[in-house]
Amino acid sequence: MRILETDDYGSMSRKAAWIIFSQVTLKPDSVLGLATGSSPIGTYEELVRLFSSGDLDFSKVKTVNLDEYKGLGPEDPQSYRYFMNYNLFSKININQDSINIPRGEDPDASRECLRYDRVIESLGGIDLQLLGIGRNGHIGFNEPGDSFPKSTHCTALTESTIEANKRFFERVQDVPRFAYTMGIGSIMGAKSIVMVASGKAKADIVKKAFAGPITPMVPASVLQLHPCFTLVGDKEALSQL
Ligand code: GLP
């Protein structure tokens, strides 16, 4: 595990983007695993900047997103598909056919989860996976539990996650209770993984995940076992490590 400490959110975001920049420069047809949440927004801004200055080309890149709320279609402003279009895809030269996100609008969970695993498989796995961390240690929407789920599954969001994510919705009742998420097996199968963590609110869980025991009760702790995992965190997020 490599830990890169930065002064603040801005420098964290640039550093994470530069790692992705190196990946795509060295392998223009990279498969990037992408994440949502507030943590990677700055990373996407820096990637857009690198693209706009002509230094980064996404024309051969393929992407697989971690997760999507069950019941939300791509046109829903709260969907992760919408988030990704708004923050990244609409601002770079990625081919629309190269974008993959679980189809939240498919009510048939087993069909959609199987389809998504086949997508990941058909791409030959993930070259670089970008992650944030939930306040309870979730990655993607792999919530704390008794085991590390291997493949894409439909998960019931915990109260802590609903509480944390309600800021994006008008009312807490509007937060979907279920989501489709890539499994821990697919995440751990990525050739390299970069996590961004920022702010005091993440300090406690960052400590539990990376200085504590490996346990499915803290899903991110499994990343300690990955051969090429980099945590890019600002001073506040790393303050308890
Ligand atoms: C959501 C996403 C996660 C993300 C987490 C943290 O639950 N499913 O992928 O890591 O939020 O979000 P934030 O970066 O806003 O704290």
Side-chain angles (χ1 to χ4, degrees):
M1 177 165 82
R2 203 182 286 123
I3 300 179
L4 306 180
E5 185 180 286
T6 69
D7 283 342
D8 53 24
Y9 180 82
S11 45
M12 174 201 77
S13 302
R14 288 191 293 279
K15 201 149 274 190
W18 297 341
I19 297 172
I20 298 171
F21 172 82
S22 310
Q23 170 70 42
V24 175
T25 303
L26 292 171
K27 188 175 183 241
D29 60 346
S30 288
V31 178
L32 299 180
L34 298 178
T36 53
S38 334
S39 308
I41 290 179
T43 306
Y44 295 148
E45 278 170 5
E46 177 66 5
L47 289 175
V48 170
R49 201 191 60 73
L50 289 164
F51 164 71
S52 305
S53 61
D55 292 319
L56 191 51
D57 175 20
F58 288 91
S59 61
K60 296 196 182 102
V61 166
K62 296 193 172 81
T63 65
V64 270
N65 259 80
L66 284 167
D67 47 15
E68 179 61 280
Y69 289 115
K70 185 171 186 236
L72 301 193
E75 307 304 330
D76 192 310
Q78 312 296 350
S79 72
Y80 283 168
R81 174 66 198 227
Y82 192 97
F83 172 102
M84 290 306 302
N85 282 341
Y86 179 78
N87 288 291
L88 185 67
F89 298 146
S90 63
K91 300 174 179 170
I92 57 173
N93 66 336
I94 191 160
N95 186 335
Q96 291 300 308
D97 298 339
S98 303
I99 296 170
N100 297 284
I101 300 188
R103 287 202 292 237
E105 69 273 29
D106 189 341
D108 186 335
S110 23
R111 178 176 58 195
E112 178 52 16
C113 294
L114 196 65
R115 183 195 72 83
Y116 207 62
D117 278 338
R118 289 202 175 129
V119 166
I120 299 169
E121 206 186 302
S122 71
L123 293 172
I126 299 163
D127 288 304
L128 186 153
Q129 176 68 54
L130 178 65
L131 292 177
I133 183 168
R135 286 184 207 173
N136 61 3
H138 71 241
I139 47 178
F141 268 132
N142 289 276
E143 295 278 36
D146 301 334
S147 61
F148 293 111
K150 193 168 165 258
S151 48
T152 305
H153 55 284
C154 180
T155 184
L157 303 183
T158 61
E159 277 311 313
S160 138
T161 300
I162 292 168
E163 193 53 33
N165 290 2
K166 73 174 185 201
R167 67 192 194 276
F168 300 111
F169 294 81
E170 222 165 88
R171 302 167 312 159
V172 67
Q173 301 94 291
D174 298 336
V175 185
R177 269 30 187 186
F178 293 91
Y180 296 142
T181 182
M182 197 188 277
I184 296 280
S186 307
I187 295 172
M188 287 297 280
K191 292 192 185 86
S192 67
I193 303 180
V194 176
M195 174 180 279
V196 280
S198 170
K200 270 203 193 101
K202 295 289 168 73
D204 182 51
I205 194 62
V206 163
K207 179 183 173 195
K208 283 196 184 115
F210 304 116
I214 297 166
T215 162
M217 289 312 293
V218 183
S221 64
V222 74
L223 297 167
Q224 293 181 39
L225 297 173
H226 194 277
C228 189
F229 169 60
T230 306
L231 168 63
V232 188
D234 64 16
K235 275 187 184 141
E236 288 189 344
L238 302 186
S239 59
Q240 288 187 40
L241 268 190

